[in-house]
Amino acid sequence: MEPEPSEQPRPRNTTAPVPLLVASAVVLLEGLGVVVFGAAEALETHSSRAVMGVTTSLFFVIFGIALLGSGWGLTRAQTWARGPVMIGQLIALGLAWNFRTGDTTLLAVVLAVPAVIVLIGMLHPQSIAAMNDLPTDGDST
């Protein structure tokens, strides 16, 4: 017996709302910046600190690629992208807090502002509804 049309699962909506698209754009920029930083670290690696330079470079390149992939996932309202992006932003906020005083205040701002923008975009009600595939005010189903 075939289920009635109303009982069939709805196709997943993969359209991201504007707040989620803004968050994903910022995450993509962050990911690109982290990959560039990792590559720059690789170029500055000297034989006296080869192991530290290589592992640091690899960490940042891999982390940047993960952010790029997660940012792409956010553009499609993919639920798997939520966790990596949230963790990345919380790490950025923690680093910003550590750099908040002295000569590193500007770095703290550069880390904190995008992280807050991403968190606001991801926690916006439209973004939560899209990520959870919930109907929004405009949906009739």
Side-chain angles (χ1 to χ4, degrees), residues 39-59:
E41 177 65 25
L43 294 174
E44 289 298 317
T45 299
H46 303 289
S47 61
S48 61
R49 58 177 215 98
V51 173
M52 179 62 111
V54 169
T55 56
T56 302
S57 304
L58 283 175
F59 170 79

Side-chain angles (χ1 to χ4, degrees), residues 21-81:
L21 290 175
V22 170
S24 66
V26 174
V27 170
L28 289 168
L29 289 172
E30 287 176 331
L32 184 61
V34 172
V35 168
V36 168
F37 180 77
E41 177 65 25
L43 294 174
E44 289 298 317
T45 299
H46 303 289
S47 61
S48 61
R49 58 177 215 98
V51 173
M52 179 62 111
V54 169
T55 56
T56 302
S57 304
L58 283 175
F59 170 79
F60 281 110
V61 168
I62 291 168
F63 182 59
I65 291 170
L67 281 176
L68 288 169
S70 297
W72 177 82
L74 286 182
T75 65
R76 303 170 105 31
Q78 298 293 314
T79 56
W80 60 263

